[in-house]
Amino acid sequence: MNKESWTRYLATLTKYQRKKVSSIELEFVVENAEAGTVHLTDLQLQEGQQVTATIPNTKEFFSPKYGTLDESKTGVGGDVYQGDQPRVFPNIKNRFYNIVGRGHEAIVIPNIYEDDFSQKLVTTAVDLTLYAKDDFDLLRISTNYGAFPTGYGELTYEDEPEHPLNKRYSREFFFEGGPAGSEIKLLASQNIATLNGQPANRASRTISVGNGILKIKRQLFMGLPYGSNRIRIEFYRLVNGKMQDVGIGYWGIAELIQWEEGKSKI
């Protein structure tokens, strides 16, 4: 059963508006049908005359995409392997990509079906886990789509127009510093953002960054459209009154579960 099989019905109740609802009885009348089944998924009551949308459970519309990883697929005949031999992993749903970097970098994370690029996948939440190798004073994780603001007072450092923190991105998330070895989690699939196990501040606010003020909008998680997406990672340290890229090292993983349109089997 796919999403086209579902119909949303709306009705206005005008009686007993000042009383609480204790129970509801529904009666179905089906016409022009010889056989079949009627499924009722959700019932929502709300005050007022303007209808707001509901958010359906994704398992009604999407199904996970499974694939097979054959470690010997790209090998050359006659290869001699040391230690563990190549293996075949069937029915893989989770994707993992290692991340290793130093300083400011943009990483490309694919959201494709590796055996057939023509198979359409839906936008997928991406989970990032990073470990800092050095002390840092600020971390920004963002999509790689952004621009420099043009209005006065919108720049973090007015005297250095090309500073990286003057550029803002469509989606960005800030962590306000930590020691070497810090664990940073930005898990879109679970709506979790933590630094060393403590919840990150996700509110709109301003923070002091030395000789400048950084205006932070509502913190946003990362998603991957069909194809691939570039995620920008920027570790900063405060040097001479400004946040600078000093080559802070880090490593970690990117994880995602790919989905396609269609009813889930779970």
Side-chain angles (χ1 to χ4, degrees):
M1 184 177 296
N2 57 35
K3 61 183 179 182
E4 282 77 21
S5 301
W6 298 90
T7 302
R8 184 183 180 198
Y9 293 97
L10 306 175
T12 301
L13 305 178
T14 58
K15 297 182 179 180
Y16 312 115
Q17 295 184 12
R18 296 183 179 180
K19 295 184 179 181
K20 295 182 179 181
V21 177
S22 60
S23 64
I24 297 177
E25 295 183 2
L26 297 177
E27 180 179 351
F28 292 94
V29 178
V30 181
E31 298 179 349
N32 300 323
E34 295 181 358
T37 304
V38 175
H39 298 275
L40 176 66
T41 60
D42 301 281
L43 178 64
Q44 176 179 321
L45 298 179
Q46 64 182 66
E47 186 177 6
Q49 299 184 10
Q50 299 298 322
V51 178
T52 57
T54 59
I55 301 176
N57 191 320
T58 56
K59 74 177 184 179
E60 299 293 346
F61 296 157
F62 304 132
S63 60
K65 185 64 177 177
Y66 293 89
T68 298
L69 174 62
D70 184 352
E71 293 183 332
S72 64
K73 185 175 181 179
T74 57
V76 179
D79 288 349
V80 177
Y81 298 93
Q82 300 294 326
D84 295 336
Q85 299 302 301
R87 292 175 293 172
V88 176
F89 299 88
N91 297 324
I92 295 176
K93 183 174 66 172
N94 294 60
R95 308 290 186 190
F96 297 89
Y97 300 96
N98 292 326
I99 301 172
V100 177
R102 182 169 293 280
H104 295 184
E105 290 185 355
I107 61 175
V108 178
I109 305 176
N111 183 25
I112 57 175
Y113 187 63
E114 63 275 9
D115 288 336
D116 185 357
F117 292 177
S118 67
Q119 295 196 29
K120 298 295 184 180
L121 298 172
V122 301
T123 298
T124 300
V126 60
D127 295 342
L128 298 173
T129 302
L130 303 177
Y131 297 90
K133 294 183 179 180
D134 309 287
D135 298 347
F136 65 99
D137 296 315
L138 184 69
L139 165 63
R140 173 167 64 179
I141 302 175
S142 65
T143 58
N144 201 41
Y145 305 100
F148 288 100
T150 56
Y152 179 78
E154 296 183 12
L155 300 182
T156 301
Y157 298 109
E158 296 285 352
D159 60 339
E160 190 178 336
E162 298 299 317
H163 192 282
L165 282 179
N166 286 339
K167 193 170 187 177
R168 308 312 298 267
Y169 297 90
S170 57
R171 285 183 175 269
E172 51 187 7
F173 202 107
F174 289 90
F175 293 87
E176 296 182 50
S182 290
E183 179 187 67
I184 303 109
K185 286 186 175 293
L186 189 62
L187 310 181
S189 68
Q190 302 179 47
N191 195 29
I192 291 175
T194 60
L195 175 62
N196 292 322
Q198 298 301 312
N201 190 341
R202 297 164 58 176
S204 300
R205 63 195 189 280
T206 60
I207 62 174
S208 176
V209 285
N211 297 331
I213 297 295
L214 179 62
K215 297 179 180 179
I216 298 178
K217 297 181 180 180
R218 183 171 59 91
Q219 305 268 55
L220 298 174
F221 292 87
M222 305 298 127
L224 301 177
Y226 168 71
S228 64
N229 199 26
R230 290 177 291 173
I231 303 296
R232 178 170 292 275
I233 299 174
E234 301 168 82
F235 279 91
Y236 290 91
R237 186 174 294 161
L238 188 62
V239 179
N240 297 326
K242 291 183 180 179
M243 293 292 181
Q244 302 291 342
D245 175 10
V246 296
I248 293 173
Y250 57 90
W251 64 277
I253 61 170
E255 179 181 359
L256 60 139
I257 299 177
Q258 294 173 318
W259 299 81
E260 61 182 348
E261 288 191 348
K263 181 92 168 65
S264 172
K265 298 179 180 179
I266 58 175

